Amino acid sequence: MKKILGTTLTLLGLAVFGQAKEDSIQFAKISTEILNKGKAYNELRELTKNIGHRLSGSASYEKAVTWAEQKLRDAGADKVWLQEVMVPVWVRGKESLHIKTSNGKWKSLKMLSLGNSEGTGGKDVSGEIIMVRSMEEYDKLSPQQVKDKIVFFNYPFSQTYIETFRGYGDAAKYRSTAASLTAKKGGKFAIIRSLSSAFDDVPHTGSMRYQDDKKIPAVAVGSTTADELAELLKSQKITAKLNSNCGMKGEKLSHSVIGEITGKKDKSVIVVGGHLDSWDVGEGAYDDGSGIVQSIEVLRTFKNLGIQNNHTIRVVCFANEENGVKGGVMYGKTVKENNEKHLFAIETDAGGFTPRGISLDMDNEKRKQIQSWADLFLPYGVYDFKNTYSGTDLYPLHDLGIPTAELVPDSQRYFDIHHTEEDTFEKVNRRELLLGASTLTQIIYMIDKNW
């Protein structure tokens, strides 16, 4: 009996080893194909240089829709279609921010209105600046202290967290709520310190939201300007003057772009995607042009290597992630209405830097199964499978009980350029971008084979 058991275990070990070796060989083929023949880098150049930034509702976003539709066809998709989405239309327009110090002279500051903010209607709005360094400090101010003032929320992006997304999450509440908090106590507009890990004078935009009907402007300044302003406020009163034309202009019909290769076994769907829109500054190269071209590369690689996928592999280029998530919501709604079975969905929306891991937002059994594949990824520098979040566009799918995930690149430089004029093609490294596409293809290969 002992001998039989030993033989069985030996055979089982050989079978497991054989399977791992087969997967290891396929991983190498995927990596070699993408690093040598991948088109993602060139396609990112096209997207950023020929179209540029792509705010939802803009003419440039509509150009990106046409571009993505063609690229999916070129990559070998069996089927490509546009999914209708009603998106908000926000327009920035001209804007300026000045301060007047004790010498009586006005000085212009670099700034950006926050996304979805209402402006001043092209009129000057001015008042004395008061500064707070935290939400708790602001809560202690009375309405009398805030009334007719400009509130400057000088909360820095924490340098303590090694995982910079934690620093971003910690500071993000100031961007999203500063305007409404200021309005509730009678302030005229809000200034925030940008959500930036860099020490420069580059302002960052990003989405904010109103909590009630009183809508006042909110703007961001870079770290250097924030420090200079804080220093001036130690010794003197400062007046700020804002003139901006930004605001919401209703909604319009737009589209997410979807392409897929049909499964040979069944029609269960595996999703890989990013968001096609970007903010209206820079070129949206990292956020999220990188994710779009990486996702298309996955589909292309399956076709080029002749991998016979069991399940349908679908690329989704989501509309309107930045200032509404309408594309993600509509996709989730359609999946539910059509009772369409999804096995897994992964988004790449954290920049095109070197991949370090995959975050797994799913039940413990499936998480452990994916973590058991870690040794296959290790030769490619991918080792981190401990996080449990997924992309914003995938939350509607996660709410339906679908396992979701997010590619985790090295994020140390991401928030230096996130939502700024610095997010350009030149910042992206070809090998790093293609390594991310390789990791995505490898995980989808394993899901398709084993689920």
Side-chain angles (χ1 to χ4, degrees), residues 78-98:
D78 302 329
K79 180 182 178 183
V80 180
W81 70 99
L82 305 182
Q83 184 170 78
E84 292 187 348
V85 184
M86 291 300 295
V87 301
V89 179
W90 182 78
V91 177
R92 180 176 301 279
K94 293 182 179 179
E95 56 189 11
S96 63
L97 177 65
H98 293 79

Side-chain angles (χ1 to χ4, degrees), residues 279-340:
W279 280 110
D280 60 326
V281 292
E283 296 171 349
Y286 274 117
D287 190 16
D288 184 29
S290 293
I292 292 296
V293 298
Q294 286 175 331
S295 299
I296 296 171
E297 196 72 65
V298 172
L299 190 151
R300 180 185 295 111
T301 304
F302 266 76
K303 296 293 285 190
N304 287 352
L305 290 179
I307 301 173
Q308 299 296 304
N309 48 297
N310 293 316
H311 314 289
T312 292
I313 296 173
R314 180 178 294 170
V315 175
V316 183
C317 306
F318 292 98
N320 185 234
E321 188 271 350
E322 291 293 7
N323 68 326
V325 201
K326 300 295 186 181
V329 170
M330 178 57 71
Y331 185 81
K333 179 182 178 184
T334 303
V335 169
K336 183 177 181 180
E337 289 175 348
N338 295 341
N339 196 29
E340 190 174 41

Side-chain angles (χ1 to χ4, degrees), residues 94-98 108-109 111 124 219 241-244:
K94 293 182 179 179
E95 56 189 11
S96 63
L97 177 65
H98 293 79
S108 176
L109 301 183
M111 51 76 72
D124 289 344
V219 305
K241 178 175 65 177
L242 176 67
N243 189 306
S244 59

Side-chain angles (χ1 to χ4, degrees), residues 212-227:
D212 50 43
D213 293 333
K214 192 171 183 181
K215 298 178 179 180
I216 65 170
V219 305
V221 296
S223 300
T224 302
T225 290
D227 288 340

